[in-house]
Amino acid sequence: MTVNLDWENLGFDYMELPYRYDAHWKDGAWDEGGLVQGGSLTLNISSPALHYGQSAFEGLKAYRTKSGAIQLFRPDQNAARLNRSASQLLMPAVPTDQFLAAVKQVVAANAEYVPPYGTGATLYLRPLLIGVGENIGVAPAKEYLFTVFAMPVGAYYKGGMVPTKFMVAETYDRAAHFGTGQSKVGGNYAASLQAGKYAHEHGFGDAIYLDPIEHRYIEEVGSANFFAITKDGRKFVTPKSPSILQSITRRSLMDLATSVCGLAAEETRIPIDGLNDLAEAGACGTAAVITPIQSITYRDHVHQFGDGGVGPITQKLYDTLVGIQNGDVEGPAGWVVTVEA
Ligand SMILES: Cc1ncc(COP(=O)(O)O)c(C=O)c1O
């Protein structure tokens, strides 16, 4: 059973649900962890997460299928990525089993907030790993908190699969070449706020970053990866860069582009002055799903892809991905994990 909410009109907004999961790390080990109630944390004021950004997170969704079951999409990949982020910030890894158990417990405990099938809404889960405790010098924390909380959300980019205009943020870098770009850490998002604000104020869905060394090659969007279909209709291409987040959606689309669309999938450098070689383009991520890119504004030039509508391959990839996530299409083995609620 679900609670009574206006599921069709949900945004991407915080909502306090009855339960979250907390586990604490101290003296070299995680405690057992478990469900707790409430939406506030009490932290020491000198916690490194607050001052020095020792903070990593994940984002994944729980989907309600037609039969009313609840499923997750590739949560093991989120566990693995959280631990890569943790490693870069000198934080302890969260055991994969504990991560998966935490996510499942939070979904099951808040099951009545998993939106009904067919509404387009989902339950968004936010695992968070932060350095806490007394620590005023620039040094890794001696204690850590791993928490998972959740809320129902609608489509991130309003209108869902609606072609969206993006702009190139040439005077902003999201991450440095040898920096933390490949990790899902708080500081990357603080660094993206200005460009995002600029893009929104100028009527764009979001900013696209270029590589931080030459400012020639496409990196990614503030909260999504970039992909495109080449004009010859043969390749799914997506940026190869050490400073972009390794999107789980993108990895999945690369597999589907090959297995479902018969394309070659390639991570490669995509020059911003080579947009004429691309027929379709999109932004992809857990929140964004697939947002087709209608146009990219770079300096004074507006480059429109095709007729500005949704390209046929983008549509096919979207239908397949969303079909798998919602349980309507059978995906590759292991992509979907059922939650007993
Ligand atoms: C910077 C950035 N790139 C890409 C993505 C997409 O990653 P994923 O598909 O794993 O959600 C995200 C998160 O959604 C992100 O924050």
Side-chain angles (χ1 to χ4, degrees):
M1 277 303 101
T2 51
V3 293
N4 208 2
L5 284 178
D6 185 6
W7 304 109
E8 320 274 346
N9 292 309
L10 285 177
F12 194 79
D13 298 309
Y14 176 74
M15 184 188 297
E16 186 178 320
L17 297 197
Y19 295 99
R20 67 169 204 261
Y21 171 99
D22 280 5
H24 300 90
W25 186 96
K26 201 176 172 183
D27 300 328
W30 288 103
D31 68 14
E32 212 178 303
L35 293 173
V36 293
Q37 287 184 291
S40 299
L41 300 174
T42 301
L43 301 180
N44 187 281
I45 197 165
S46 68
S47 293
L50 301 177
H51 302 260
Y52 305 127
Q54 203 187 18
S55 161
F57 65 98
E58 275 302 321
L60 68 162
K61 288 173 171 174
Y63 306 82
R64 179 87 64 180
T65 68
K66 207 176 208 163
S67 68
I70 301 173
Q71 60 184 32
L72 300 163
F73 183 70
R74 309 190 78 179
D76 55 319
Q77 300 296 314
N78 295 94
R81 189 171 61 190
L82 182 68
N83 287 337
R84 293 200 299 274
S85 302
S87 163
Q88 190 168 25
L89 297 194
L90 300 184
M91 300 199 277
V94 177
T96 302
D97 287 350
Q98 188 166 5
F99 180 98
L100 295 176
V103 166
K104 286 181 184 173
Q105 281 179 50
V106 172
V107 173
N110 297 297
E112 57 192 353
Y113 290 88
V114 181
Y117 173 83
T119 56
T122 53
L123 186 76
Y124 183 75
L125 290 137
R126 172 54 62 83
L128 174 70
L129 173 62
I130 55 175
V132 298
E134 296 177 19
N135 203 94
I136 201 61
V138 181
K142 296 178 206 75
E143 295 172 36
Y144 293 88
L145 169 69
F146 170 57
T147 181
V148 180
F149 61 101
M151 71 220 74
V153 299
Y156 186 59
Y157 290 104
K158 286 189 183 36
M161 188 70 163
V162 168
T164 302
K165 295 175 181 168
F166 288 76
M167 57 154 285
V168 170
E170 206 184 357
T171 54
Y172 299 94
D173 289 329
R174 173 185 166 273
H177 185 72
F178 290 130
T180 54
Q182 79 276 30
S183 294
K184 202 161 170 70
V185 300
N188 294 343
Y189 296 83
S192 75
L193 293 176
Q194 275 194 326
K197 177 170 183 266
Y198 184 92
H200 294 141
E201 282 175 357
H202 289 79
F204 298 97
D206 207 342
I208 291 178
Y209 296 90
L210 299 183
D211 74 278
I213 292 188
E214 294 178 77
H215 291 128
R216 267 192 70 196
Y217 300 97
I218 292 179
E219 288 264 288
E220 64 175 320
V221 184
S223 55
N225 273 181
F226 177 88
F227 72 87
I229 310 299
T230 53
K231 261 205 179 134
D232 60 10
R234 291 203 182 150
K235 272 193 209 161
F236 174 103
V237 288
T238 183
K240 184 179 175 69
S241 162
S243 44
I244 63 170
L245 191 76
Q246 294 292 320
S247 154
I248 295 159
T249 314
R250 160 173 109 143
R251 184 67 256 162
S252 308
L253 291 177
M254 288 178 79
D255 290 350
L256 297 175
T258 310
S259 61
V260 175
C261 303
L263 305 180
E266 204 176 81
E267 280 179 73
T268 181
R269 303 192 86 184
I270 302 177
I272 188 62
D273 58 11
L275 298 180
N276 280 334
D277 296 336
L278 308 174
E280 302 176 29
C284 64
T286 299
V289 194
I290 291 181
T291 298
I293 299 180
Q294 177 179 348
S295 64
I296 295 179
T297 298
Y298 175 51
R299 297 182 179 164
D300 293 335
H301 181 68
V302 181
H303 178 92
Q304 180 174 298
F305 293 93
D307 62 4
V310 182
I313 297 175
T314 303
Q315 185 71 54
K316 190 163 183 182
L317 287 170
Y318 178 89
D319 291 343
T320 311
L321 177 72
V322 171
I324 295 170
Q325 291 172 333
N326 289 329
D328 297 329
V329 172
E330 186 157 354
W335 278 22
V336 155
V337 174
T338 305
V339 178
E340 303 300 335

